[in-house]
Amino acid sequence: MAERPEDLNLPATVVTKLVKDSLPENVNVSKEARTAIGRAASVFVLYTTACANNIAIQHKRKTVSPEDVLAAMNEMEMDQFVAPLKKCLEAYRKNQKQSQTNAPNKSPQSSSRPRKQSLGSTSSTIPAKAPTTEQNEAEMG
């Protein structure tokens, strides 16, 4: 557990990159606004995690699954994010399956335990720019 609340904030460089990548080039964002966005994102992540954990506990599990996170989004009345998150999850799982089938056969001396895959390989499934309100409304029907 974090010793100070500030330890739970997202790194400033990550927030800056996300903000920069999601806005047009001619838009500037103040340092205070980036800090506020970072803190809001941290609170969102913590709240979502807590809700997903509660759902896992209700199902008598100790591990939070992606389905728990999707259920938490519904519980938090953020239904508009569930469909895009499901698409990203499906793309991630498909990418993981392809990575496992394309991996060379392990030598007999290597561990039988599967290696953890990094999330970095899924960057192509996440849009570089945030979708506009019109795109979100069109996607939801």
Side-chain angles (χ1 to χ4, degrees):
M1 192 80 168
E3 293 178 23
R4 301 173 303 160
E6 299 83 36
D7 294 342
L8 298 173
N9 288 339
L10 296 171
T13 54
V14 172
V15 173
T16 298
K17 182 168 178 22
L18 287 170
V19 168
K20 193 174 185 181
D21 289 349
S22 64
L23 295 174
E25 288 182 29
N26 60 346
V27 175
N28 292 320
V29 179
S30 71
K31 183 178 179 180
E32 293 83 14
R34 286 192 310 268
T35 300
I37 291 167
R39 288 184 180 164
S42 296
V43 168
F44 173 76
V45 169
L46 291 169
Y47 184 59
T48 304
T49 304
C51 288
N53 186 50
N54 288 340
I55 291 168
I57 289 170
Q58 288 171 358
H59 290 99
K60 297 180 175 35
R61 291 183 280 109
K62 292 184 179 182
T63 302
V64 174
S65 71
E67 289 72 22
D68 297 329
V69 175
L70 295 172
M73 296 300 286
N74 282 323
E75 187 176 295
M76 295 172 1
E77 298 182 8
M78 300 203 147
D79 306 326
Q80 69 271 25
F81 295 110
V82 173
L85 284 172
K86 280 183 180 179
K87 280 185 180 180
C88 287
L89 179 60
E90 288 170 12
Y92 172 77
R93 286 177 172 165
K94 183 179 177 182
N95 189 347
Q96 291 299 302
K97 246 183 199 174
Q98 287 176 346
S99 295
Q100 290 174 357
T101 57
N102 293 339
N105 290 336
K106 291 183 176 186
S107 65
Q109 296 175 352
S110 66
S111 168
S112 61
R113 197 169 125 197
R115 263 200 282 167
K116 290 184 180 179
Q117 299 289 325
S118 71
L119 294 177
S121 62
T122 62
S123 61
S124 63
T125 63
I126 300 172
K129 301 246 183 226
T132 63
T133 304
E134 294 82 19
Q135 290 170 328
N136 283 336
E137 289 172 357
E139 191 173 284
M140 291 192 295

